[in-house]
């Protein structure tokens, strides 16, 4: 008897089109992909950066950023569940809004996550060198470039092997963070509220307490945005309407709890000033804190978790970014070369190579704080468009009340302009440059089709 194949199983056909991806990721795999993207640079590096502008109030900024991320996560979940294709808000903008907004979303996603990936590569390099007692900055960039190249080769080998490695990476990272929290409880309680007062006291003397707090909220928001990685996997997960919302919600809950616990223990143990200095100058704040906990092997456990976390972030960002490039190539917003998917590994080779090349370019610059701030602005604009798209969904398409995307939109636009003025000005310039390219590409496509 001939086997009946549903449209959702069309990727199993022997003559599968080379431009389609395989659905082989479940709830657990998608959740681990999300955690691999979230639990990395944000917890091991950005908390230190945020502490430098907000002081002890960085703890509250972690909570506020988590709430904003929750609104955006629910909007992303219902969009991806109704339109399960690679590309995330890039595709949602095209479907529910306008091609220009869809393109802007894709453009902002690339800018934000490429900057985040470069930060993760440099963070990996910093933790490795510091763990081995090597303070020489000459090795920072070469080691970061090396790890980008190695992970690129892994991604080119196919999603299944990448997903399996990701589970191992995330497991080690989560263990190290739980260990850090438990090991630091005694020191944190012994310090009492000494390191938490005054609460609104930014480390930077040029920043007002309120401005420092709001800037820290923006910086910490981008630390949660790895859940968007799950939405970009929409074309590769089983039963997207069920899998994607569950994976995003679980990912956010776990990461929120970890960030709050790590932030409270870190700041209460050594103070925001020390936390900020180690985060910006040595890029290894949690390891420095762990060394002061007076527990044998604590710093080694934390350093190991940090290194694996950065690997997880890079792995997932290369995967997710390449899927957005794939989607943009399909629409000819980028050259059609990037729409090609290798038939044997179901991997978009040209897209992966482009993404890795751009990450390498930012790694060569090596300014961690600037790239993270740029990631914050562009990510907030990206998710503002996500919420705007979710507001346009029909009643039968929605999984959650319409107030959710409304709140997400307002908070995203508000926080976006609390990063340094030079950052959001450059970000607006990048949006303008992208829209000009989109307009020119559209005119070229139309003129070519006429001929």
């Amino acid at each position: 008897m001939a086997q009946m194949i549903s449209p959702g199983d069309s990727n199993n056909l022997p003559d599968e089109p080379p431009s389609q991806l395989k659905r082989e990721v479940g709830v657990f795999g998608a959740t681990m992909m999300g955690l691999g993207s979230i639990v990395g640079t944000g917890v091991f590096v950005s908390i230190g950066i945020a502490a430098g502008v907000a002081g002890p109030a960085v703890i509250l900024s972690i909570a506020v950023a988590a709430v904003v991320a929750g609104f955006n996560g629910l909007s992303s979940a219902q969009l991806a569940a109704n339109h399960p294709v690679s590309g995330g808000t890039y595709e949602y903008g095209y479907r529910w809004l306008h091609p220009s907004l869809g393109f802007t979303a894709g453009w902002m996603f690339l800018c934000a996550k490429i900057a985040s990936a470069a930060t993760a590569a440099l963070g990996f390099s910093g933790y490795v060198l510091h763990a081995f007692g090597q303070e020489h900055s000459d090795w920072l960039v070469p080691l970061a470039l090396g790890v980008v190249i190695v992970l690129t080769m892994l991604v080119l080998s196919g999603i299944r092997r990448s997903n399996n490695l990701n589970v191992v990476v995330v497991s080690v990272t989560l263990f190290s963070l739980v260990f850090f929290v438990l090991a630091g409880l005694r020191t944190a309680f012994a310090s009492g509220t000494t390191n938490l007062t005054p609460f609104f006291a930014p480390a930077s003397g040029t920043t007002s307490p309120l401005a420092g707090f709001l800037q820290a909220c923006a910086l910490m928001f981008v630390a949660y945005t790895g859940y968007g990685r799950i939405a970009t996997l929409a074309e590769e997960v089983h039963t997207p309407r069920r899998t994607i919302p569950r994976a995003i919600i679980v990912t956010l809950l776990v990461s929120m709890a970890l960030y709050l616990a790590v932030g409270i223990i870190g700041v209460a143990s050594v103070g925001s000033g020390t936390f900020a200095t180690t985060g910006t100058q040595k890029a290894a704040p949690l390891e420095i804190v762990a060394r002061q906990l007076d527990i044998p092997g604590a710093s080694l456990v934390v350093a190991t978790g940090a290194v694996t976390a950065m690997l997880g972030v890079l792995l997932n960002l290369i995967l997710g970014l390449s899927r957005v490039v794939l989607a943009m190539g399909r629409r000819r917003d980028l050259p059609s070369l990037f729409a090609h998917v290798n038939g044997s590994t179901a991997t978009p080779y040209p897209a992966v190579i482009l993404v890795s090349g751009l990450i390498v370019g930012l790694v060569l610059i090596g300014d961690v704080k600037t790239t993270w701030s740029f990631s914050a602005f562009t990510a907030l604009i990206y998710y503002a468009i996500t919420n705007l798209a979710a507001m346009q969904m029909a009643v039968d398409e929605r999984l959650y009340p319409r107030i959710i995307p409304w709140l997400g939109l307002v908070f995203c636009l508000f926080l976006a302009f609390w990063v340094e003025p030079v950052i959001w000005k450059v970000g607006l310039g990048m949006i303008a440059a992208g829209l000009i390219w989109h307009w020119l590409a559209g005119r070229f496509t139309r003129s070519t089709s006429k001929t």
Side-chain angles (χ1 to χ4, degrees):
M1 180 182 294
Q3 182 181 6
M4 298 299 293
I5 302 176
S6 66
D9 296 325
S10 59
N11 58 305
N12 294 323
L13 291 168
D15 58 344
E16 174 188 328
S19 62
Q20 297 298 312
L21 301 172
K22 295 180 179 180
R23 297 193 182 278
E24 56 184 14
V25 180
V27 174
F28 178 76
T31 300
M32 295 300 278
M33 284 288 185
L35 288 174
S37 295
I38 289 180
V39 185
T41 314
V43 68
F44 285 102
V45 176
S46 71
I47 292 180
I49 298 174
V53 297
V58 66
I59 296 172
L60 182 58
S61 73
I62 292 172
V64 171
V67 173
V68 178
F71 293 143
N72 297 336
L74 294 177
S75 292
S76 297
Q78 58 185 348
L79 286 165
N82 282 279
H83 195 42
V85 296
S86 290
T89 303
Y90 170 72
E91 289 289 343
Y92 312 150
Y94 265 93
R95 175 166 178 169
W96 279 285
L97 297 171
H98 187 274
S100 294
L101 287 173
F103 174 83
T104 299
W107 182 235
M108 288 294 94
F109 184 87
L110 290 177
C111 290
K113 295 306 181 179
I114 287 171
S116 294
T119 305
L122 291 167
F124 164 86
S125 183
Y127 265 97
V128 169
L129 294 175
H130 195 265
F132 285 96
Q134 300 296 320
E135 303 290 342
H136 303 292
S137 59
D138 293 343
W139 287 99
L140 187 69
V141 171
L143 183 56
L145 293 176
V147 73
V148 172
I149 293 172
V150 170
L151 289 183
T152 298
M153 299 303 296
L154 176 64
V155 171
L156 290 175
S157 70
I159 179 109
R160 186 180 297 278
R161 288 174 60 186
S162 300
N163 193 27
N164 291 338
L165 176 63
N166 180 74
V167 172
V168 176
V169 168
V170 173
S171 298
V172 174
T173 303
L174 294 179
F175 171 79
S176 71
L177 289 174
V178 172
F179 174 85
F180 173 84
V181 171
L182 296 177
L185 284 175
R186 185 178 65 178
T187 303
F189 277 113
S191 300
T193 60
T194 302
N195 292 322
L196 299 176
T197 55
F199 192 70
F200 289 96
S204 173
T206 60
T207 305
S208 70
L210 178 60
F213 168 69
L214 292 174
Q215 183 181 348
C217 289
L219 294 174
M220 288 310 306
F221 169 79
V222 74
Y224 288 103
T225 55
Y227 61 78
R229 169 74 182 95
I230 300 172
T232 64
L233 274 175
E235 201 169 321
E236 300 166 74
V237 298
H238 300 296
T239 55
R241 190 172 179 85
R242 177 182 64 87
T243 299
I244 292 173
R246 291 184 180 183
I248 287 179
I249 292 171
V250 172
T251 298
L252 281 173
L253 290 175
V254 172
S255 59
M256 288 175 193
L258 279 174
Y259 275 43
L260 284 171
V262 170
I264 292 171
I265 293 298
V267 175
S269 297
V270 301
S272 60
T274 302
F275 211 59
T277 301
T278 57
T280 55
Q281 294 181 1
K282 299 181 180 180
L286 297 193
E287 184 186 25
I288 301 301
V289 173
R291 289 185 179 184
Q292 300 184 33
L293 299 181
D294 200 23
I295 295 179
S299 62
L300 178 60
V301 173
V302 172
T304 301
V307 168
T308 58
M310 302 303 171
L311 288 174
V313 167
L314 271 174
L315 172 65
N316 287 291
L317 284 177
I318 293 173
L319 280 165
L321 285 166
S322 64
R323 270 53 182 180
V324 174
V325 170
L326 169 69
M328 296 181 80
R330 286 171 173 172
R331 287 191 183 274
R332 303 299 189 268
D333 282 338
L334 290 176
S336 58
L337 166 69
F338 299 111
H340 176 72
V341 176
N342 180 274
S344 60
T345 62
T347 301
Y349 277 14
V352 171
I353 293 172
L354 173 65
V355 165
S356 299
L358 294 174
I359 294 172
V360 164
L362 283 183
V363 165
L364 293 173
I365 296 175
D367 190 340
V368 175
K369 185 176 180 180
T370 299
T371 55
W372 191 255
S373 297
F374 184 68
S375 295
F377 175 80
T378 49
L380 285 162
I381 297 300
Y382 172 84
Y383 282 103
I385 299 174
T386 301
N387 287 291
L388 191 60
M391 289 164 56
Q392 308 305 314
M393 297 177 69
V395 175
D396 60 337
E397 294 177 322
R398 294 180 200 155
L399 300 178
Y400 312 107
R402 199 163 184 258
I403 188 64
I404 296 295
W406 266 107
L407 292 172
L409 175 65
V410 170
F411 278 112
C412 283
L413 292 178
F414 176 73
L415 290 179
F417 294 94
W418 282 102
V419 299
E420 297 93 331
V422 66
I423 296 296
W424 61 257
K425 289 176 182 177
V426 170
L428 291 178
M430 291 295 292
I431 292 174
L435 289 174
I436 291 172
W437 159 257
H438 184 241
W439 179 75
L440 292 174
R443 291 200 60 176
F444 176 77
T445 301
R446 287 192 295 270
S447 62
T448 302
S449 62
K450 290 180 180 179
T451 58

